Each structure stands twice: as C-alpha cells, then as structure tokens.
C-alpha cells in the first residue's frame, strides 16, 4: 500500500436552498460517470433537534461517501480568495444560507487517481442540490458549479487529473499597469507553484498560465532550471526565476514574467 492509499477526500458546496441533496439525483449522476453508489444510511438526525443531516453512500468497489448538510453559511467564505474561474457573482457565495460537506472515506490509489474520483463524486452531489459554488480540498477558492461538473466528468472520461478544479488560480494587481496569477496546490502533484506576472493591458497571459500548468502536469519530471528560458514555441523565451511565495508563506515559487 502506498502512502496515497485510503486518503480521505473533502469538498464543500455552497447551496442556495438548505435542503439535503436529492439522493436519487446523486446516484444517477454518479452512475453516468461510471461510479456505483448505494444509499446506506438515510439522513441521520439527533432526537429531532436542528442537527446536520447526513446521507451515507457505499461506493462500488470500496469506500464511503458522506454528504452532510450544514444549515448555516460557510464560516470562511467571506475571507476567501476569488479567481478567474470563480462565480462572477461573489456576493452569492457570501449570502448562501447553507453548505454541504462532502467526504469520501476509503479512496485508494495515487494522488491523481484519488483526486479524479473525488472530483467526480463531488460533481455527483452537485446534481442533487442547488449549488452556487464548490471547493475541493486542499483548495483556496470556490469554483463555478457548471465548470466544476464539466471538468470532473472529463477527468473521469479521459482518466486524467482535471487541472482546472484541482489547481487553483488567483489573480492580483501588482501596480497600475501590472497584475499577476498565482497557482495553488501544484506541490500536491510534485510540481512547484507558478507566479506569473503580466501587463494589465496585454492579452494571452491567462492562456499562458493554463498552458504551463497543463504542460508541467503532463510531464512531472521536466526540470525548470533557474536562469533558463521556457516557452511554447521557438520564439517565446521567458526567463525562469524563483522567488518567495507572494503570500508570505510556503516554499519558493517559479516566477515567469509574461510581458
């Protein structure tokens, strides 16, 4: 058994309607992605008091999926970052009256295999509720539910890590004419996080970020020596630097200046 075996998966779903996700819709959505689920325990409550509702599902092939409705806003969402793939209406995240905690126990395999499966299980739960945002841990921001579901389904179909929902991207202004993109979670997949600066007036920087993430995840052994250049073609030569993480914590990041 590798150190990645049997790691728990965890996601949070912000919902506009404080009702337990429909188990039939969850099971049907999982089945469409080739994952068998069977409801094993129906909405545990404690003596009729206002307690979280919990549905437990047996996962075909091993493991348990727990879906817990918390009838209260997510306590941290107001202070969380947003990004290019977050919902446009960020106020809807803060005002969401409830949230679901999605936990998968007994998942086995490599980190990639676990995250592919956890992404799909989370997407199945999305089909049974009224989501406004979804976050798979470890993560720093909520994604658009439609984007999340589409990426999760494709990840299962292609048996590839759905990078758009497993690697978070935040954006920040660096000055009147410059901004940056910062990736999060790349070390989980044996790569360094990227810090890419660019002009606020330019075009193509976000596509460059996505291309770099996809490239580095497709070849985990490719090295990025400091001082060398990197590019998507012979003309694109961007110098590779390493700097402290702009968040002020964690390991150094790879800095690429996309002018």
């Amino acid at each position: 058994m590798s150190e990645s075996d049997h790691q728990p998966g965890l996601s949070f779903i912000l919902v506009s309607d404080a009702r337990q996700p429909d188990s039939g819709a969850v099971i049907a959505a999982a089945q469409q992605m080739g994952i068998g689920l069977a409801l094993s325990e129906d909405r545990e409550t404690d003596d009729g008091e206002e307690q979280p509702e919990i549905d437990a599902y047996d996962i075909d092939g091993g493991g348990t999926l727990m879906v817990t409705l918390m009838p209260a806003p997510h306590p941290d969402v107001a202070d969380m970052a947003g990004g290019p793939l977050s919902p446009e209406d960020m106020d809807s995240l803060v005002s969401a009256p409830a949230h679901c905690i999605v936990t998968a126990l007994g998942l086995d395999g490599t980190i990639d295999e676990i995250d592919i499966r956890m992404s799909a299980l989370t997407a199945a739960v999305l089909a049974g509720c009224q989501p406004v945002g979804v976050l798979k841990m470890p993560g720093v921001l909520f994604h658009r539910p439609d984007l999340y579901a589409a990426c999760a389904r494709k990840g299962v179909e292609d048996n590839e890590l759905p990078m758009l929902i497993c690697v978070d991207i935040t954006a920040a202004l660096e000055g009147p004419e410059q901004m940056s993109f910062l990736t999060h979670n790349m070390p989980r997949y044996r790569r360094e996080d990227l810090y890419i600066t660019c002009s606020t007036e330019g075009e193509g920087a976000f596509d460059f970020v996505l291309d770099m993430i996809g490239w580095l995840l497709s070849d985990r052994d490719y090295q990025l020596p400091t001082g060398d250049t990197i590019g998507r073609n012979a003309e694109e030569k961007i110098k590779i630097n390493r700097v402290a993480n702009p968040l002020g914590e964690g390991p150094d990041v790879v800095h690429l200046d996309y002018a």
Side-chain angles (χ1 to χ4, degrees), residues 2 57-58 70 82 123 139 155 173 186 190 196 201 208 213 228:
S2 73
Y57 301 81
D58 294 324
M70 302 296 292
L173 285 175
M186 290 284 278
R190 299 188 291 108
I196 297 177
E201 302 296 328
F208 175 74
I213 295 172
D228 280 10

Side-chain angles (χ1 to χ4, degrees), residues 12-22 25-26 69 87 89 92-93 95-100 102 122-135 142-149 153:
F12 296 93
I13 301 174
L14 305 178
V15 294
S16 60
D17 189 349
R19 289 187 292 181
Q20 186 74 358
D22 180 83
V26 173
L69 174 68
D89 182 10
S92 68
L93 303 182
S95 62
H99 64 285
C100 291
V102 182
T122 303
V125 179
L126 291 176
C129 61
Q130 301 296 319
V132 295
V134 56
L135 162 67
F142 282 89
H143 291 92
R144 300 198 305 267
D146 56 342
L147 170 74
Y148 188 99
R153 286 194 298 267

Side-chain angles (χ1 to χ4, degrees), residues 3-63:
E3 63 180 359
S4 301
D5 287 342
H6 303 303
Q7 289 198 1
L10 178 65
S11 298
F12 296 93
I13 301 174
L14 305 178
V15 294
S16 60
D17 189 349
R19 289 187 292 181
Q20 186 74 358
D22 180 83
S23 59
V26 173
I27 291 171
Q31 187 64 47
Q32 290 177 352
M33 291 182 283
I35 302 174
L37 293 180
L39 193 63
S40 59
E41 298 179 34
D42 190 16
R43 300 181 182 176
E44 297 178 357
T45 57
D46 185 7
D47 298 328
E49 298 179 3
E50 186 174 350
Q51 297 287 336
E53 295 184 53
I54 304 174
D55 281 349
Y57 301 81
D58 294 324
I59 305 172
D60 189 24

Side-chain angles (χ1 to χ4, degrees), residues 44-210:
E44 297 178 357
T45 57
D46 185 7
D47 298 328
E49 298 179 3
E50 186 174 350
Q51 297 287 336
E53 295 184 53
I54 304 174
D55 281 349
Y57 301 81
D58 294 324
I59 305 172
D60 189 24
T64 302
L65 177 68
M66 308 288 291
V67 181
T68 305
L69 174 68
M70 302 296 292
H74 190 286
D76 302 322
V77 65
D79 298 321
M80 294 179 69
L85 305 179
S86 297
E88 292 184 7
D89 182 10
M90 295 296 288
D91 289 340
S92 68
L93 303 182
V94 178
S95 62
H99 64 285
C100 291
I101 303 174
V102 182
T103 309
L105 305 175
L107 299 181
D108 59 5
T110 65
I111 290 292
D112 281 29
E113 290 167 343
I114 289 171
D115 284 0
I116 291 169
R117 198 160 180 82
M118 185 59 196
S119 297
L121 290 167
T122 303
V125 179
L126 291 176
C129 61
Q130 301 296 319
V132 295
V134 56
L135 162 67
K136 190 188 82 62
M137 297 296 291
V140 301
L141 55 80
F142 282 89
H143 291 92
R144 300 198 305 267
D146 56 342
L147 170 74
Y148 188 99
C151 289
R153 286 194 298 267
K154 184 167 176 39
V156 170
E157 292 170 1
D158 297 343
N159 194 32
E160 290 184 355
L161 188 74
M163 69 173 194
L164 290 182
I165 55 178
C166 290
V167 176
D168 289 348
I169 305 169
T170 54
L173 285 175
E174 300 288 338
E177 299 180 350
Q178 194 167 42
M179 63 175 293
S180 65
F181 295 101
L182 178 66
T183 69
H184 308 257
N185 301 334
M186 290 284 278
R188 180 172 174 83
Y189 310 111
R190 299 188 291 108
R191 302 297 333 200
E192 298 166 282
D193 274 318
L194 303 176
Y195 173 55
I196 297 177
T197 51
C198 59
S199 168
T200 56
E201 302 296 328
E203 297 181 355
F206 186 60
D207 288 339
F208 175 74
V209 176
L210 297 181

